[in-house]
Amino acid sequence: MPKDRPELPPVEELLTAAVTALGGVERPGQVKMAQAVRDAVESEEHLAVQAGTGTGKSLAYLVPAIRHAAEKGQAVVVSTATIALQRQLVDRDLPRLADALEGLLPHRPEFAILKGRRNYLCRHKMADGMPEDEDDQLFDPREVSATGRMVQRIQEWANETETGDRDEIVPGVSDQAWRQFSVTARECLGAQRCPSGADCFAELARERAGEADVVVTNHALLAIDAMEDFAVLPEHDVVVVDEAHELVDRVTSVVTGELSESTVGLAVRRAGRLIEQGVADRLQEAGEDLRALLAVAPPGRVDTLPGSLAMTLALVRDAAFACITALGPRNKDKDDPENAGLRKAAFTALDEVHDTAQRMLDAFGPAAGRDEAGDDAEDGGDSRDSGESRDSAGGANGGPGDARSEEVHRAEVVWLEEGRGRVPPTLRVAPLSVGGMLRDKLFGDRTVVLTSATLALGGSFDSLSRQWGLRAGEWTGLDVGSPFDHPRRGILYVATHLPQPGRDGLPEAYVDEIAELIEAAGGRTLGLFSSMRAAKAATEALRERLDVPLLCQGDDSTSQLVKQFAGDPATCLFGTLSLWQGVDVPGPSLTLVIIDRIPFPRPDDPLASARQRHVAATGGNGFMAVAATHAALLLAQGAGRLLRSMDDRGVVAVLDPRLATARYSGFLLNSLPPFWRTTDPAKVRDALRRLTAGS
């Protein structure tokens, strides 16, 4: 400890003071977690902590984090996956905690929230230092008019805001409108070169973060800070990753590249203002070739590179490089801020097109450029197995030897997403694994604490630790349990009498089962479905049969639907992915959680299927490592919606009989809270009726 810093109270004393001041109850799991975080920080060893709902994990990591920041005089970064948790930390937890610890630490703890640069208003762009990028021809007059009204609201708000944070604008504005007033980190001129640098909202946010003890950010910005050459976050030696079960997906999203007529068109518009028309036209023509090719190509994973696609990607890459060359030196016009802004925006768009096209070609290694059209993406066999039996088949294309040989060496996967509405068909490229990146860039030179209510899948941390790139001996895993008495408070019901789910939508027997369960529960039901089609089908069928209000995701904003659901115990809410993890409704409004089927990734999911096949090609069990792990994580998150407070009781009903009968069922069941289990529908309906009568 530095000599000029006083000795600080131990973590246990600070935690007790915080819990008392906040009117809470100190729990053994919370104390155990706080001590483990302290030990991990002191020993500089990574830590994974599973802390069930109700543990009070936010305080359990914030208290030792704040103590470390006060002791070392350096910020601790807390990263979350959702805006809701960011707001909870900044608006509720941290202010109250700062008040509670103010007299026990050398100074009142300071905190700040830091988001990606694109979330802040750019004063330079606001002052017309950079033109709009949108092509209005893509939009109909009504959309242009709506965007115009949003633009006017942003302009009015810009004269009043002190933070420039997009989230201040209520109601919110579209991405299309906001893009006209914001820049990415790569498009930014930098505070030193920008004429508005002294008043830059993003820079002011960074300055505030640099003075804070705790900086709250998100997984995407954490990944950008770790992987880019430029620093985004203030200097720090400790990171707490809350909602760590989402880390891999969020990082994968950050490093996924995309190429379409839109990305090429943006680069053409930006470069065309600054270079000879003929050079820009070459990129325009290459983009038109790409558009024509993608318009007729089947969506899905690209396992082998057809010659036509290889040639088109090379044309796009080379045309983008020609435009980059025509722009001249990157530091040209540094004394002309307006022109510098135009050039920086053009370089950013051209670099993205060039580098993404090259990544896609590199993904196929020595096979790139061969005139060899691959088969369609694998069909996944029987959807009831969701890939369970495919590991031994050697992949979708060719024999086992060929597929396995290619998969062992391939580092990235390329796929085509079909166009929807105004969004054109888009080629994407992503790493098969981000574990190596995380190991080198995130875990390499700092201590990382990863926590969530769902980390120990199948009773072990191994599945997620492998995805994070952590090796044995580099980290410690700890499950501090939950204060909830799961066997006494909840029932896990598996409907083994129902048929296995198939490909033809929601079986009629499932609809009947759902109706009987909801009637027994008197409403009070959250229905979690594996697809929006199934959620809507169930909603339509049951609205005619049941007398309770039935809401479906998409009827209104998700937040508004959850509010309605929580406000009326008779109401049911059906939906898909965001509801599996985003609903926190304690009390009598949620007594029954229905899960229609085990949430395996779709057999035609390009990234999941490629990762599964890669694991199989390297000698592992692809189904268990990818599909079963994905399903276990979502099942645990979905089941976790039931008990949100100490007084909650209820039932988690899984209609898919494979949860009790398949050979992988043990892994999935061991990932769930230890509810009392049954397969008897009569017992479950009786229990629901008793709960309803007693509420």
Side-chain angles (χ1 to χ4, degrees), residues 27-30 32-33 49-57 452-454 478-487 489 639-640 642-646 672-675:
R27 298 187 173 103
Q30 186 182 54
K32 190 175 182 180
M33 178 176 173
V49 185
Q50 177 165 283
T53 303
T55 301
K57 64 180 170 65
S452 169
T454 310
L478 174 67
D479 184 354
V480 299
S482 168
F484 298 150
D485 187 351
H486 286 93
R489 292 284 174 176
L642 180 66
L643 303 184
R644 309 302 297 178
S645 72
M646 298 299 291
L672 297 176
F675 297 119

Side-chain angles (χ1 to χ4, degrees), residues 87-128:
R87 288 175 174 165
Q88 175 186 315
L89 290 172
V90 173
D91 296 339
R92 190 187 73 180
D93 294 352
L94 281 166
R96 297 165 67 193
L97 182 57
D99 291 341
L101 300 183
E102 183 173 8
L104 300 173
L105 296 174
H107 64 270
R108 186 179 190 276
E110 299 290 336
F111 54 91
I113 187 168
L114 189 60
K115 305 174 184 178
R117 188 171 292 271
R118 173 142 262 176
N119 292 278
Y120 299 98
L121 181 79
C122 174
R123 291 187 185 273
H124 180 43
K125 199 167 185 177
M126 181 82 186
D128 291 329

